[in-house]
């Protein structure tokens, strides 16, 4: 059963567990006969959605799974991860090549908790499928359609996992 997406002003339509629905998210309910830990993505009306969170629900036992799914719109958007220099053991930096990956990039200013639990203001929410090769010491570069370049270290990295622990998406806030 597909729930309504958030309202047009971007406010969450409904909170699920400890998260809310963002602009490109929808809520999906799966019956207990569907093994939610094996579902990675769904297709509906020609669009591909990636599960970002799965929540077990039911009274006295699990009778359904409520999931947050994000519209997968990674076509055409890319980020470049510039790894921080590793130490060779003798104090000399070892430069590593940059990695370019497809991702959904949402440009908006918001407040998030950083890796230390402190409030921080970020400009980008980046969502990549699976486990993205990014750390807090790396630099993330994004160039939008107008040629505006944003390059900085991540403020928060969140890895969303399936019930079995497999990574679904990596959210990076810069």
């Amino acid at each position: 059963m597909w729930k309504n997406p958030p309202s047009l002003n971007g406010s969450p339509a409904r909170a699920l567990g400890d998260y809310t629905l963002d602009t490109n998210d929808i809520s999906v309910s799966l019956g207990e006969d569907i093994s939610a830990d094996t579902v990675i993505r769904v297709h509906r009306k020609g669009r591909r959605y990636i599960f970002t969170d799965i929540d077990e629900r039911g009274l006295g036992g699990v009778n359904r799974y409520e999931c947050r799914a994000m519209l997968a719109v990674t076509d055409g958007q890319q980020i470049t991860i510039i790894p921080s220099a590793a130490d060779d053991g003798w104090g000399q930096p070892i430069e590593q090549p940059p990695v370019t990956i497809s991702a959904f990039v949402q440009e908006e200013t918001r407040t998030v908790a950083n890796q230390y639990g402190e409030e921080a203001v970020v400009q980008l929410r980046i969502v990549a499928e699976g486990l993205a090769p990014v750390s807090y010491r790396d630099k993330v570069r994004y160039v939008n359609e107008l040629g505006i370049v944003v390059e900085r270290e991540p403020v928060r990295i969140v890895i969303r996992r399936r019930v079995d622990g497999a990574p679904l998406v990596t959210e990076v806030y810069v």
Side-chain angles (χ1 to χ4, degrees):
M1 177 172 138
W2 293 76
K3 310 277 185 191
N4 291 330
S7 64
L8 292 176
N9 68 4
S11 64
R14 176 172 168 231
L16 295 172
D18 63 346
Y19 55 84
T20 57
L21 295 173
D22 285 327
T23 305
N24 288 312
D25 296 344
I26 58 171
S27 176
V28 180
S29 291
L30 302 174
E32 64 180 311
D33 56 328
I34 298 174
S35 180
D37 60 341
T38 61
V39 177
I40 297 174
R41 64 183 68 92
V42 292
H43 294 266
R44 180 172 188 257
K45 295 183 179 179
R47 293 183 168 176
R48 184 169 58 103
Y49 293 86
I50 305 167
F51 280 1
T52 57
D53 293 279
I54 300 171
D55 193 13
E56 295 178 349
R57 294 295 175 120
L59 298 172
V62 175
N63 66 3
R64 71 185 185 284
Y65 297 93
E66 291 193 2
C67 310
R68 178 175 71 164
M70 185 194 93
L71 180 62
V73 288
T74 59
D75 296 335
Q77 289 183 306
Q78 294 184 329
I79 62 166
T80 302
I81 301 168
I82 304 161
S84 60
D87 188 354
D88 69 354
W90 298 97
Q92 298 298 318
I94 300 173
E95 295 296 324
Q96 298 174 356
V99 178
T100 301
I101 61 173
S102 294
F104 166 73
V105 181
Q106 187 174 14
E107 296 180 68
E108 68 176 13
T109 302
R110 68 165 65 182
T111 305
V112 298
N114 66 12
Q115 62 181 327
Y116 305 111
E118 304 163 344
E119 269 192 8
V121 177
V122 297
Q123 186 179 357
L124 301 176
R125 172 184 176 234
I126 300 166
V127 182
E129 286 188 59
L131 186 60
V134 63
S135 73
Y136 286 104
R137 295 181 354 160
D138 297 340
K139 290 215 185 275
V140 176
R141 174 185 290 155
Y142 170 67
V143 181
N144 72 9
E145 293 82 357
L146 299 174
I148 298 171
V149 178
V150 176
E151 182 178 317
R152 56 179 72 122
E153 293 178 352
V155 171
R156 180 174 188 198
I157 301 171
V158 179
I159 300 167
R160 306 276 182 197
R161 297 183 181 274
R162 285 195 324 223
V163 176
D164 66 356
L168 292 167
V169 295
T170 303
E171 289 182 272
V172 181
Y173 296 89
V174 296

